[in-house]
Amino acid sequence: MNTELWDKIVQFDFDNPPSEYGFSTRLANENYWTKDFTEKAILEYKKFMYLAATSEFMVSPSETIDIVWHQHLIFTQSYQEFCDLIGKQIQHIPSTHNKEDFSKFKQAKERTIKFYENTFGTQPSDIWEFEGMYESLNLNKAKLKLRTFIIIGILSVIILIAPFYLLLKPIYITIDNPDFLLYFIGLVVISVIILEIYNKDKLKIITRSFDKNSFIYSLQPFELVYLQTQQLSKVINGAVNELIDDETIKVNTDNTVKLVIRGETKSSEQLQVATTLSEIGKTAYPILLTHLLRKPIFWNIVNAMEAFKKYFIKSKKFSQLFYLNFGILSTLLMLGSIRLITGILREKPIIHIGIVVIILTIIIIYYLNRLTNMICMHTIPNLYKTHILPAKDIENDWQWNYFLFGSAVLTTTFIPLVNYADRNNNDGGSSCGSSSSSSCGSSCSSCGGCGGD
């Protein structure tokens, strides 16, 4: 291995000079990638380019690396400087899908695997084996969309009410109130409790089926903060608080904030906060928060997490779980509705059963919506709290403590500003799944390999 060349490649910064929508930010934004996966994909791209620079044969990228490569080609100056650095003009050769190309690229892929393993060791499966970031979840897509299923389900319940009314009427007329209400409410409560226990256990089982190299196991603290709270403002509060702790930002006595030290940042999120505050000057925190809520570096977190949720709820495994919940809850609603219809037709008092049916309808809508968010707000955060983080040394890591303990670890002088901002700002990133693309990071498959001149 040419250690000197590899060291130069590693040190090459695709984000130099820093900008609001630089290489890494744009790459993550356009593909709905997490921060760690983006960094890992760029590193593997560098390894691939090292192989291309030092080999005498064609090497072939994975789908993920090809995405990074396409992105780098757009940044023409950076790409030219990179090629100058490695001493070779690496050409991107697209596949024309003919038989000769298929054989050529297949051989290139086989040689690339061997060359990579001899140089760097085993290829990371999440970058080299799967077609994209989300494929590592091992989730097959459901044939029926949830929205379509809900419509079919509602229509089915309406159609079944008539035959079930005829079936249940002889039984219902023998049960007086309040006995029926007590039995019915008890049945609903027991059913919901059982469903809650089953859902949590089933979601845990599904997460265990994810590939162990999946991005889910390498989420950043701020990504988990968003998953757990569904509020992008909470993420920004954390980034700002770190700068206050470092005395880069000062909280004034009039509850405004101002930048004290320029250039002293430890992450791209902190750099964005400092840059924005430098541009607008001393200001009230809600104003700063409003500006930061629009920045790509923070919206990347929303996009990636929402794309994950959207990908997950479209899966066959989750759909089956949703179908079960919908079936049980709609059956309960149908039983209550038939009791209500029976009372109306027999001219009996229906106020109490009517109220119960209305409340149950609201509960079902809330519960099913909550189920679609449970993987984000409960399952994944709890996975980190109970299994992943106990194996890590995070005692002195403020971001992880912020994920675990929330606003309790914020600086005392900053808490009043956060509370005021929470009362006066709408977050815009409050629901996992609202802004992600259905492509969920689909990759270009037209590239077969590369060659050098």
Side-chain angles (χ1 to χ4, degrees):
M1 181 178 186
N2 188 335
T3 305
E4 182 180 355
L5 175 60
W6 174 238
D7 289 342
K8 290 180 180 179
I9 292 175
V10 170
Q11 293 170 13
F12 188 88
D13 187 2
F14 295 156
D15 291 312
N16 187 35
S19 63
E20 184 174 299
Y21 199 56
F23 183 86
S24 297
T25 303
R26 178 169 178 162
L27 183 64
N29 181 271
E30 293 183 356
N31 297 284
Y32 306 95
W33 287 351
T34 62
K35 186 174 183 178
D36 181 83
F37 188 87
T38 302
E39 293 174 350
K40 193 172 182 179
I42 291 174
L43 177 60
E44 291 303 311
Y45 167 69
K46 288 181 175 180
K47 291 180 180 179
F48 168 76
M49 293 299 276
Y50 171 85
L51 299 180
T54 57
S55 67
E56 296 180 355
F57 51 83
M58 176 185 288
V59 290
S60 179
S62 67
E63 296 287 345
T64 297
I65 290 174
D66 192 43
I67 290 173
V68 183
W69 195 0
H70 279 236
Q71 183 72 54
H72 202 193
L73 287 167
I74 295 173
F75 287 72
T76 54
Q77 182 176 348
S78 174
Y79 189 75
Q80 186 58 54
E81 291 174 355
F82 188 70
C83 288
D84 291 342
L85 174 76
I86 63 179
K88 192 174 185 180
Q89 192 69 33
I90 309 298
Q91 299 177 358
H92 188 285
I93 304 175
S95 172
T96 56
H97 296 285
N98 58 44
K99 293 183 179 180
E100 293 181 0
D101 276 358
F102 178 80
S103 176
K104 179 174 63 176
F105 291 136
K106 182 181 179 181
Q107 292 178 3
K109 183 177 181 180
E110 293 171 352
R111 287 196 296 261
T112 301
I113 294 174
K114 293 179 181 179
F115 194 16
Y116 183 102
E117 291 177 347
N118 291 335
T119 308
F120 298 109
T122 304
Q123 292 179 330
S125 60
D126 55 335
I127 304 294
W128 286 90
E129 295 180 16
F130 295 102
E131 292 187 358
M133 187 177 80
Y134 297 93
E135 279 69 18
S136 63
L137 299 177
N138 296 320
L139 295 172
N140 294 322
K141 189 175 181 179
K143 295 181 179 179
L144 196 64
K145 292 182 178 180
L146 289 187
R147 186 179 301 174
T148 304
F149 171 80
I150 291 172
I151 295 173
I152 294 174
I154 292 173
L155 293 175
S156 299
V157 170
I158 294 173
I159 293 171
L160 289 172
I161 283 180
F164 270 86
Y165 167 76
L166 297 175
L167 180 66
L168 294 175
K169 180 183 176 181
I171 300 174
Y172 276 8
I173 61 177
T174 64
I175 307 174
D176 295 326
N177 286 328
D179 291 344
F180 179 85
L181 284 177
L182 293 176
Y183 295 151
F184 182 66
I185 292 172
L187 178 62
V188 170
V189 171
I190 292 172
S191 299
V192 170
I193 292 174
I194 293 175
L195 279 177
E196 183 72 6
I197 295 172
Y198 178 79
N199 291 339
K200 289 182 178 179
D201 185 63
K202 187 64 175 179
L203 288 171
K204 287 180 183 178
I205 293 173
I206 294 175
T207 57
R208 293 193 196 113
S209 68
F210 298 164
D211 188 273
K212 295 309 177 184
N213 289 321
S214 168
F215 69 95
I216 284 296
Y217 295 97
S218 57
L219 295 176
Q220 298 295 304
F222 283 160
E223 292 166 340
L224 286 161
V225 167
Y226 177 77
L227 272 184
Q228 185 169 249
T229 65
Q230 300 290 280
Q231 296 181 45
L232 182 57
S233 59
K234 300 298 184 185
V235 174
I236 296 173
N237 292 342
V240 173
N241 190 88
E242 286 185 295
L243 292 173
I244 293 174
D245 281 345
D246 294 341
E247 298 182 346
T248 301
I249 291 178
K250 179 183 178 182
V251 178
N252 301 306
T253 55
D254 60 354
N255 287 333
T256 59
V257 291
K258 71 175 183 179
L259 186 66
V260 178
I261 304 174
R262 299 176 184 273
E264 296 293 328
T265 57
K266 300 177 182 177
S267 67
S268 53
E269 291 84 5
Q270 289 186 13
L271 176 61
Q272 182 65 78
V273 172
T275 302
T276 303
L277 190 53
S278 174
E279 292 172 352
I280 64 179
K282 177 182 174 182
T283 186
Y285 183 61
I287 296 176
L288 174 62
L289 181 60
T290 300
H291 280 81
L292 293 174
L293 283 169
R294 304 171 185 148
K295 300 301 181 181
I297 191 66
F298 292 110
W299 264 102
N300 281 351
I301 295 174
V302 178
N303 289 340
M305 295 301 95
E306 290 188 349
F308 158 65
K309 186 239 182 167
K310 193 170 186 178
Y311 190 92
F312 182 80
I313 65 175
K314 286 183 176 182
S315 70
K316 183 178 179 179
K317 291 180 179 179
F318 176 78
S319 294
Q320 291 172 343
L321 181 63
F322 187 90
Y323 300 160
L324 175 65
N325 280 258
F326 183 93
I328 292 174
L329 294 174
S330 61
T331 299
L332 292 173
L333 181 60
M334 184 169 63
L335 294 177
S337 299
I338 291 174
R339 177 68 176 190
L340 178 63
I341 294 171
T342 303
I344 293 173
L345 295 179
R346 298 182 68 223
E347 297 182 350
K348 297 290 185 178
I350 59 167
I351 294 177
H352 293 99
I353 186 62
I355 292 173
V356 170
V357 169
I358 292 172
I359 293 175
L360 178 58
T361 303
I362 296 172
I363 290 174
I364 290 174
I365 294 172
Y366 166 79
Y367 192 83
L368 291 177
N369 181 67
R370 178 177 174 271
L371 179 61
T372 61
N373 285 301
M374 192 177 288
I375 186 70
C376 293
M377 300 182 70
H378 300 284
T379 309
I380 299 301
N382 288 340
L383 172 67
Y384 273 78
K385 293 175 182 178
T386 59
H387 291 87
I388 297 177
L389 294 186
K392 292 185 176 183
D393 182 16
I394 62 168
E395 184 176 353
N396 297 318
D397 191 310
W398 188 88
Q399 288 190 9
W400 282 118
N401 286 326
Y402 181 54
F403 160 63
L404 292 172
F405 305 111
S407 59
V409 299
L410 293 177
T411 302
T412 305
T413 57
F414 186 45
I415 292 177
L417 277 67
V418 169
N419 293 336
Y420 180 77
D422 287 344
R423 293 192 300 268
N424 291 275
N425 273 280
N426 292 321
D427 196 304
S430 59
S431 63
C432 185
S434 62
S435 68
S436 59
S437 166
S438 61
S439 63
C440 287
S442 61
S443 60
C444 170
S445 60
S446 62
C447 174
C450 73
D453 58 4

